[in-house]
Amino acid sequence: MKSNITIKDVAKKAGVSISTVSRVINDSKPVTDEVKQKVLDVIKETGYIPNPLARSLVTKKSQLIGVIVPEVSDSFVNEILNGIEEIAKMYDYEILLANTYSDKDQELKSINLLRAKQVEGIVMISWKVEEEHVDYMQKCGIPASYISKTARDYDIYTVSTSNTDATYDMTKYLLDKGHEKIAFIMTSKDDTVLERERLSGYEKALNERNISLDQSLIKHGTTTFEGGYNSMKEILDEGTIPHAAFVTGDEAAIGAINAICDAGYRVPEDISVAGFNDVKIAKMYRPKLTTVHQPLYDMGAVAIRMVIKMINNEELSEKKIELPYKIEERESVIERR
């Protein structure tokens, strides 16, 4: 049997017209059960694979949803993608992934690329959504939801957690453990709404204990291991030895732990360390990382469900969804004696 079987070959072997085969494949118009079974048997026998582009022209549905990510290897992104992919499969959608390396121009190009591939909707994960992204997506008229540090600045469909409350609760948790001198390492160098929210939560917890803000304990890094390592090393090199370090990203928190150990201190005996997100490595590293658990899988699942609802013209009860978080207590934080 030929490997490049066409719809014409299937029609000829089944003794029906090409349009009848198309109706069976796309379930677009009724055919008798007998004819339908005959066509399906030939498709199975020949191994014919329908052309998805041709099928989308008939059904007006590509069953494709685009996902734009800033860095596909990032563990935060990975766990969100797991939620997106599983829900997509439940609703018979395939995912087209566009990796942008956090480059704004590439993000805009990715929107065009995904539109050219006839995606029905887009989930955009970005470290920094800007007005240009939002305006361009809205001009395209494509259903979209966002998971981003800055998405709450705009009137768009977003999924997040309350960063102010989560940061406040973790800072308060460290204070309750007796750690008054708390280094605060934010995993972004930009003045974003997320940074302002997290710094607000940190300051609020300190103010309640009448602890003045020490700027030498606040650093701006990146989400990477290297970013956390360098920020923590900078604090220690400046001669400030904190009781604890709160790093707003787990990979960066692990980098901070390594900087502490390389400087001759122990975690958690000398300096406790807390992270944010609760990615898989937080449980695998030693000491196991105390962190703010964000439901990353659920964030992805909710974001793509929003898009599917928009595609199907279903009602969405709210535009901005905040999912619950919790403090995950592990080995990297102890009571300060």
Side-chain angles (χ1 to χ4, degrees):
M1 188 62 65
K2 292 186 296 179
S3 59
N4 56 336
I5 298 296
T6 67
I7 191 170
K8 185 177 179 181
D9 297 325
V10 173
K12 184 176 180 180
K13 189 171 181 63
V16 298
S17 67
I18 291 173
S19 60
T20 298
V21 177
S22 178
R23 288 170 191 163
V24 171
I25 292 168
N26 298 306
D27 199 22
S28 55
K29 291 183 179 179
V31 297
T32 66
D33 290 342
E34 182 182 353
V35 170
K36 183 176 182 179
Q37 192 57 53
K38 186 187 293 185
V39 171
L40 292 174
D41 288 344
V42 172
I43 288 173
K44 184 178 180 180
E45 179 187 338
T46 59
Y48 170 67
I49 300 173
N51 183 321
L53 180 58
R55 183 173 182 175
S56 69
L57 292 173
V58 175
T59 62
K60 309 300 182 188
K61 289 177 71 68
S62 66
Q63 294 300 119
L64 296 173
I65 291 177
V67 180
I68 297 172
V69 301
E71 179 54 69
V72 73
S73 64
D74 187 274
S75 52
F76 173 87
V77 172
N78 284 170
E79 296 194 29
I80 291 173
L81 281 175
N82 287 337
I84 290 173
E85 289 181 329
E86 190 155 326
I87 298 302
K89 288 175 184 175
M90 284 175 57
Y91 287 89
D92 295 322
Y93 278 92
E94 296 293 332
I95 294 302
L96 284 183
L97 195 63
N99 191 16
T100 66
Y101 301 99
S102 301
D103 181 83
K104 186 176 81 170
D105 290 338
Q106 190 58 50
E107 287 172 335
L108 294 172
K109 286 179 184 176
S110 295
I111 295 170
N112 270 335
L113 173 65
L114 293 171
R115 287 178 64 217
K117 297 290 184 181
Q118 299 187 337
V119 298
E120 296 182 50
I122 291 176
V123 177
M124 184 170 186
I125 307 168
S126 173
W127 300 143
K128 189 176 183 182
V129 168
E130 298 185 37
E131 192 170 352
E132 194 173 352
H133 294 114
V134 175
D135 288 347
Y136 192 71
M137 197 87 83
Q138 289 177 342
K139 284 175 183 174
C140 294
I142 192 163
S145 66
Y146 299 78
I147 299 172
S148 171
K149 296 176 177 181
T150 58
R152 291 181 300 283
D153 285 347
Y154 305 100
D155 184 27
I156 52 180
Y157 290 92
T158 64
V159 184
S160 64
T161 57
S162 176
N163 285 281
T164 302
D165 292 345
T167 307
Y168 166 80
D169 284 346
M170 179 58 88
T171 307
K172 185 173 180 296
Y173 169 82
L174 293 171
L175 291 166
D176 288 343
K177 292 285 186 181
H179 308 285
E180 293 190 352
K181 190 188 287 187
I182 302 171
F184 188 50
I185 298 173
M186 289 180 281
T187 52
S188 172
K189 293 182 179 179
D190 298 315
D191 179 26
T192 65
V193 64
L194 178 69
E195 281 209 345
R196 294 192 294 275
E197 287 175 352
R198 288 181 171 173
L199 190 57
S200 171
Y202 172 73
E203 288 185 85
K204 180 184 175 184
L206 294 181
N207 287 337
E208 287 181 355
R209 301 295 176 91
N210 296 314
I211 298 172
S212 57
L213 198 66
D214 184 348
Q215 291 294 339
S216 70
L217 290 172
I218 300 172
K219 298 295 177 183
H220 301 256
T222 67
T223 61
T224 64
F225 174 95
E226 291 78 13
Y229 186 98
N230 292 334
S231 293
M232 192 70 237
K233 184 176 185 299
E234 191 176 333
I235 290 171
L236 297 173
D237 286 349
E238 289 170 356
T240 305
I241 311 303
H243 301 158
F246 179 15
V247 188
T248 61
D250 291 335
E251 288 188 26
I254 290 169
I257 290 173
N258 278 260
I260 291 166
C261 294
D262 286 351
Y265 299 98
R266 299 168 299 164
V267 176
E269 291 84 358
D270 299 319
I271 304 172
S272 288
V273 177
F276 205 110
N277 290 327
D278 197 21
V279 298
K280 287 180 181 176
I281 197 171
K283 298 183 278 287
M284 298 161 59
Y285 195 77
R286 295 294 182 272
K288 293 180 182 178
L289 188 64
T290 292
T291 187
V292 175
H293 172 83
Q294 284 199 97
L296 301 178
Y297 174 96
D298 293 342
M299 289 169 71
V302 170
I304 194 168
R305 187 69 185 99
M306 292 171 91
V307 170
I308 293 170
K309 282 188 172 184
M310 284 185 262
I311 291 169
N312 295 330
N313 296 314
E314 297 176 37
E315 186 179 348
L316 284 133
S317 58
E318 52 189 319
K319 269 193 165 182
K320 300 186 183 300
I321 296 177
E322 277 195 356
L323 299 179
Y325 64 88
K326 66 177 180 177
I327 304 296
E328 196 68 62
E329 298 184 67
R330 297 197 181 101
E331 301 165 354
S332 65
V333 173
I334 58 171
E335 194 95 25
R336 182 170 177 79
R337 297 177 179 84

